[in-house]
Amino acid sequence: MSDAMVQIDGLVRHFGGVHAVDDVSFSVARGQVLGFIGPNGAGKTTTMRILATLDTPQGGDARVGGYSVVDDPEGVRRIMGFMPDYAGVYTNTTVEEYLDFFARANDLRGEARRKAVEHIIEFMGIGDLRDRHVESLSKGLKQRVALGRAIVHNPDVLILDEPAANLDPRARIELRTLLRELAADGKTILLSSHILTELSEICDAVTVIERGKILATGSVEEILQRVRQRRLLSVRLAGSNERLERFLVEQPGVINVHEAGPCLEFELEGGDEEQVQLVSRLIGAGFAVLEFSAHSGGLEDLFIEITEGRVQ
Amino acid sequence: MTFARVLAWLDDKSDWLSPLVVKEVRQVVRGREFSLSFGASLVAGLSVAFFGATDAAAGGTAGRWTFVALMACLGFLGLAVVPLGAFGALRRERLEQTFDLITLTALSSRRVVVGKLLAQAVRLTTLFAAMAPFVAMSFLLGGIDFVTIAISLVVLFLASLWVCALCVFLSALVRSRALSSVIFVGVGIVVLFVFGVAGSAFRAFSLGVFFAATGGPSLTASETFWTLAIGTTMWLVTLINLLLLAVNRLSLPTEDSVTSLRLGFLAQLLLLTGWTLTFLFDPPGAAKSAGYALAVLGGLHLTLVAVFAATEGSTVPRRALLRMKSPSLEGWLIRLFGPGGGRGPASVILQLAILMGALAAFPINDDDRRAFMASYGYLCFFVGVPTLLFRAFLPKYATPFRLRVAVLVVLALATALPDVLHYLIRQPEILDLHYSARHLISPFRTLANWQTVERSGWELFPLAAGVTGLVALILLVPAGARQAAEDASINPHRPAPAAGEPGRADLIY
């Protein structure tokens, strides 16, 4: 992908006998929000730490904005903001001082530094907290400040490891709103999370990893279509379902026909072509079809469908 | 100019400081530790000043003992309290999980380490400034001259900063919380010991050396200042090396933190050699003492260098490989002193040659000279031979850490095995532990009984061990170069081998 902002090629990282990351390759396009999902110990954090230049690969390479994490980690750090799965706060430091320190550490000077800190305080909505000590904040507010820290130097790429972990629903919604705004601002975002419903609302695509290997990459629908042998469909008629049930049972590839409220649900083996043929046959047989829907499934379905839950 | 504009102006000027200094000063001034040490120093200063003034009122010249008492207070703060804070500097960053966050910024490992040290320098300056009025008072009370006060303060400040640099290095050494705590306790004990030693040294120094500058018998003024100049240079070089060691520990394996470290340690040896060589044309006694000093200090230096440099990995990190190709001075330096490719053992041989060449010029007793040569020979043997054998027969397992463990194990075996084997094979009724020919393999016992070795004509064994060790070190050079060339030919774009954690000490020195 020529427009890839993050490009990972054959990344390998072992810890003794454990293959934490085993020949991992995928990319994130400019402006894309990619969810990185997998069970615990799948290799998400290791991959993200390598991308953030906090660890080095034993094989392969990764490029962020064209900079290699091995050859030019300084270049990567200039354009990348990383938020690990812990807040990492200083004692005896106010929110404003905390952000000011990281602005200085990212080589922002004078007026540019002050403006950057003010912008982050405003963007994150933490103006009331500027004089509060960071360690005294709640988990949700700490996460908010941590996200501010990660973007204080206005990076093009954001890597967020479990940003919503242990947050209450309100804090999660606020975080999701902030991430949406960042995505709208054109940032390329790679984020991992266990809260799949959250991810599905933010992400353009997902990459699934298990036992250090990439299992699938693409939009949720694409992946489900690729991995599923059959699809769940439902039909609702204007009249009685009795004749329809008999009709469906006789159709090739249709199984598990059952009532679900006013509808009939069933599974169809095959893809789009088989589905189109079935709809044609239904109409041809004279059924007064009121509703016909395919349950594409969500991220949770996908996760359960393609991961085995095995750890290393 | 309004107050807000003054603040903005100060804020702009603070950009010249390391971000870590700004952050640490903000943290420190709110911390309990600083308030306590600052308050304690004021109370101590006031108490000393009160007693000094009382003594002066009674007609005594209290300046001298007042100053010594104030220096003791400052010494405690500078050599114990602040260094312990310095030790906690990087340790706290790890415990609070903020170290990774610093690594992610534009701050390089070097800027982090220097920033941490500068923050301690600010703390020291604040504490010294707090004591300044009382020190000035001791001068006014009489009995001590301004030069002595100024030099003593500068020496104590530099010594404190050096101990802080050592603590920053120790703080960078380990990532494990448990090990870090063990080192923390160890450092506490050492700092207290250093404080005791420094107290004695200060008393000796203040009564001898500094007062000699005002006409005492021990050293002339020019000799005193010459000694101070050399001491300051050694202070600076060793301090820089401590910082470079800390940087090496914090750097990613892909970075080249070896070249500067190797050059720093070479400069340290050259400085030591140069300093001792200045005594060469002094009276024979002084020249001889300088020769012994070089032999002992140079030997310790060489031991540290050999253990780490000869066992370092042969692989050249990809970034160093790329920079080597540059025709600049940096590229040239990396080609000569850079990491991997057999340059580690080569640098050991180079430094051994410098040390032995310089020692040849000094009028040292022949038997002592042979003993020193034997000690260097044993060093080559116990570092070179295990490393070469490991690399030749178990190349897959020849990591720097394992090689260093192997060196220590072989040394321990050489010390213990002669008696154990003697007991098992000969089964004597009484195990005679007196030094004999079977102990020649043990360097410690052989050097401790060198006169017996000379009397018995056993010098051939240490000589053979030394030659074997030197040959092993020489063979490690082309072996390392071959390995590096093979690595590069297999995949010129390979990443460097990763360590378990970001940062390592396997390329220490």
Side-chain angles (χ1 to χ4, degrees):
Chain A
M1 194 187 294
S2 61
D3 198 29
M5 201 61 184
V6 178
Q7 179 77 52
I8 300 175
D9 291 315
L11 217 56
V12 176
R13 184 71 172 94
H14 299 168
F15 296 99
V18 178
H19 295 198
V21 176
D22 194 6
D23 197 17
V24 161
S25 301
F26 65 91
S27 61
V28 190
R30 188 182 295 274
Q32 190 180 31
V33 182
L34 183 83
F36 197 33
I37 62 173
N40 288 334
K44 301 186 297 291
T45 298
T46 306
T47 308
M48 287 181 145
R49 283 180 64 84
I50 291 173
L51 282 176
T53 71
L54 291 174
D55 201 353
T56 45
Q58 284 152 322
D61 201 349
R63 290 184 173 274
V64 179
Y67 299 104
S68 159
V69 295
V70 178
D71 292 337
D72 195 357
E74 294 86 3
V76 173
R77 288 169 196 165
R78 272 198 301 275
I79 60 156
M80 182 266 317
F82 177 59
M83 187 175 153
D85 56 354
Y86 46 84
V89 293
Y90 288 111
T91 51
N92 294 325
T93 306
T94 66
V95 169
E96 189 175 3
E97 287 169 354
Y98 183 78
L99 294 172
D100 178 75
F101 165 63
F102 283 101
R104 286 171 191 267
N106 281 297
D107 283 343
L108 294 173
R109 297 281 175 263
E111 198 53 33
R113 166 172 54 80
R114 283 192 289 273
K115 275 185 178 166
V117 172
E118 279 307 316
H119 170 70
I120 292 299
I121 288 176
E122 191 185 331
F123 177 72
M124 304 302 293
I126 48 177
D128 296 343
L129 309 173
R130 62 166 68 220
D131 294 324
R132 288 261 306 271
H133 281 199
V134 191
E135 81 264 25
S136 70
L137 300 178
S138 67
K139 177 99 186 164
L141 290 176
K142 273 184 194 161
Q143 286 291 80
R144 198 175 257 250
V145 174
L147 182 60
R149 193 255 327 139
I151 59 172
V152 74
H153 58 302
N154 193 22
D156 295 328
V157 179
L158 265 175
I159 297 170
L160 313 171
D161 191 6
E162 299 286 352
N166 301 321
L167 294 187
D168 62 41
R170 176 178 289 278
R172 234 183 274 161
I173 291 165
E174 287 170 354
L175 183 73
R176 197 172 63 204
T177 310
L178 287 171
L179 290 180
R180 276 208 193 111
E181 285 180 38
L182 287 168
D185 201 27
K187 308 275 184 219
T188 304
I189 303 176
L190 172 67
L191 77 157
S192 72
S193 178
H194 278 121
I195 304 156
L196 301 177
T197 45
E198 300 281 330
L199 275 185
S200 59
E201 289 182 34
I202 306 171
C203 298
D204 305 323
V206 292
T207 290
V208 188
I209 184 171
E210 187 172 36
R211 303 184 76 194
K213 286 188 178 295
I214 298 295
L215 301 182
T217 300
S219 71
V220 176
E221 292 74 22
E222 276 172 13
I223 298 173
L224 275 174
Q225 242 175 31
R226 237 180 293 149
V227 298
R228 277 189 172 167
Q229 300 300 310
R230 56 179 81 131
R231 53 186 64 190
L232 186 64
L233 303 170
S234 72
V235 183
R236 186 178 169 195
L237 298 182
S240 159
N241 288 335
E242 202 177 322
R243 194 166 71 89
L244 175 65
E245 192 169 354
R246 281 201 304 275
F247 174 82
L248 285 173
V249 170
E250 288 165 5
Q251 298 306 307
V254 173
I255 53 171
N256 291 337
V257 182
H258 60 274
E259 281 195 19
C263 306
L264 274 182
E265 266 187 11
F266 58 96
E267 287 178 59
L268 175 69
E269 288 175 344
D272 287 348
E273 202 176 317
E274 285 76 11
Q275 191 176 321
V276 169
Q277 286 171 4
L278 180 68
V279 173
S280 310
R281 285 199 295 273
L282 270 173
I283 304 298
F287 287 106
V289 178
L290 197 62
E291 275 178 37
F292 188 97
S293 56
H295 302 276
S296 56
L299 202 50
E300 279 179 0
D301 296 311
L302 180 149
F303 188 78
I304 298 298
E305 193 97 29
I306 65 174
T307 61
E308 294 172 14
R310 286 190 293 170
V311 291
Q312 300 182 78
Chain B
M1 196 182 266
T2 63
F3 185 62
R5 289 179 85 180
V6 171
L7 284 181
W9 181 81
L10 284 173
D11 191 52
D12 276 346
K13 293 299 154 200
S14 68
D15 281 337
W16 290 93
L17 294 169
S18 161
L20 280 159
V21 173
V22 178
K23 182 205 69 127
E24 301 251 326
V25 169
R26 281 171 171 166
Q27 278 184 288
V28 157
V29 292
R30 292 197 192 110
R32 203 175 52 178
E33 182 197 334
F34 180 76
S35 309
L36 282 175
S37 57
F38 192 80
S41 66
L42 286 180
V43 169
L46 271 172
S47 308
V48 171
F50 173 75
F51 286 116
T54 312
D55 190 20
T61 48
R64 188 160 157 178
W65 74 256
T66 307
F67 178 68
V68 172
L70 289 171
M71 285 298 281
C73 295
L74 268 179
F76 179 70
L77 293 170
L79 297 171
V81 176
V82 179
L84 282 178
F87 179 73
L90 284 165
R91 185 173 173 263
R92 254 197 319 274
E93 296 279 1
R94 287 194 172 124
L95 292 180
E96 291 171 353
Q97 296 184 305
T98 46
F99 186 73
D100 281 350
L101 306 185
I102 296 181
T103 310
L104 290 166
T105 66
L107 293 176
S108 62
S109 310
R110 193 167 298 180
R111 282 176 72 191
V112 169
V113 169
V114 172
K116 287 286 175 186
L117 186 67
L118 286 178
Q120 303 312 316
V122 171
R123 284 182 69 192
L124 277 174
T125 308
T126 314
L127 292 172
F128 272 60
M131 296 291 258
F134 309 114
V135 173
M137 188 180 154
S138 71
F139 172 68
L140 294 175
L141 289 175
I144 191 158
D145 63 295
F146 178 74
V147 176
T148 305
I149 290 176
I151 292 177
S152 302
L153 284 174
V154 169
V155 168
L156 183 60
F157 185 86
L158 296 183
S160 303
L161 206 57
W162 193 92
V163 179
C164 285
L166 175 69
C167 288
V168 169
F169 163 61
L170 289 172
S171 167
L173 204 58
V174 286
R175 290 180 68 84
S176 142
R177 194 177 290 197
L179 203 55
S180 173
S181 300
V182 170
I183 290 185
F184 186 76
V185 173
V187 166
I189 293 167
V190 170
V191 164
L192 287 177
F193 174 74
V194 166
F195 181 63
V197 172
S200 315
F202 168 73
R203 276 194 297 279
F205 219 49
S206 60
L207 296 174
V209 178
F210 293 141
F211 292 164
T214 56
S218 26
L219 282 176
T220 65
S222 70
E223 283 170 338
T224 301
F225 284 106
W226 179 232
T227 307
L228 281 174
I230 289 167
T232 309
T233 319
M234 277 304 280
W235 167 85
L236 187 66
V237 172
T238 48
L239 183 134
I240 289 172
N241 283 339
L242 282 171
L243 295 184
L244 289 173
L245 282 167
V247 170
N248 175 267
R249 183 67 195 136
L250 298 182
S251 301
L252 283 170
T254 47
E255 293 173 33
D256 169 29
S257 55
V258 173
T259 310
S260 51
L261 204 48
R262 238 197 278 283
L263 285 168
F265 271 79
L266 181 61
Q268 187 171 299
L269 180 71
L270 290 175
L271 191 68
L272 183 65
T273 310
W275 171 46
T276 48
L277 281 173
T278 58
F279 291 91
L280 203 56
F281 302 107
D282 283 4
K288 195 172 167 182
S289 299
Y292 282 109
L294 175 64
V296 173
L297 294 176
L300 290 173
H301 168 98
L302 194 67
T303 305
L304 184 70
V305 168
V307 169
F308 287 102
T311 52
E312 73 178 34
S314 304
T315 306
V316 184
R318 197 162 87 185
R319 297 180 77 188
L321 209 57
L322 293 173
R323 286 185 182 169
M324 266 180 203
K325 290 172 185 163
S326 154
S328 64
L329 175 68
E330 189 201 14
W332 183 79
L333 285 174
I334 297 176
R335 279 198 291 279
L336 277 180
F337 299 101
R343 291 176 189 82
S347 72
V348 177
I349 296 166
L350 171 70
Q351 296 201 24
L352 179 67
I354 292 170
L355 184 59
M356 289 179 65
L359 272 180
F362 286 96
I364 302 175
N365 295 343
D366 285 346
D367 52 345
D368 289 335
R369 188 184 298 281
R370 285 192 291 272
F372 284 127
M373 294 302 135
S375 67
Y376 303 153
Y378 276 120
L379 175 64
C380 293
F381 181 81
F382 281 99
V383 172
V385 174
T387 307
L388 185 70
L389 292 178
F390 224 103
R391 288 242 160 92
F393 298 109
L394 295 165
K396 266 179 73 179
Y397 301 97
T399 61
F401 177 75
R402 286 187 181 132
L403 286 175
R404 281 159 207 164
V405 171
V407 167
L408 291 177
V409 168
V410 170
L411 191 60
L413 288 177
T415 308
L417 270 186
D419 289 323
V420 174
L421 290 178
H422 175 73
Y423 182 75
L424 290 176
I425 296 166
R426 296 280 176 87
Q427 299 192 335
E429 285 183 16
I430 299 166
L431 179 60
D432 181 11
L433 293 175
H434 283 100
Y435 184 78
S436 62
R438 71 171 186 269
H439 296 112
L440 278 167
I441 190 70
S442 165
F444 302 120
R445 296 209 62 182
T446 301
L447 293 171
N449 295 278
W450 187 251
Q451 286 184 339
T452 310
V453 175
E454 293 250 332
R455 266 200 314 275
S456 314
W458 292 337
E459 301 99 322
L460 200 62
F461 185 87
L463 176 71
V467 170
T468 311
L470 190 60
V471 170
L473 281 177
I474 292 170
L475 288 175
L476 280 170
V477 178
R482 251 195 325 272
Q483 183 64 51
E486 271 175 34
D487 287 348
S489 66
I490 292 166
N491 179 4
H493 300 298
R494 84 207 178 283
E501 299 287 349
R504 57 181 181 169
D506 52 351
L507 288 177
I508 214 165
Y509 158 80

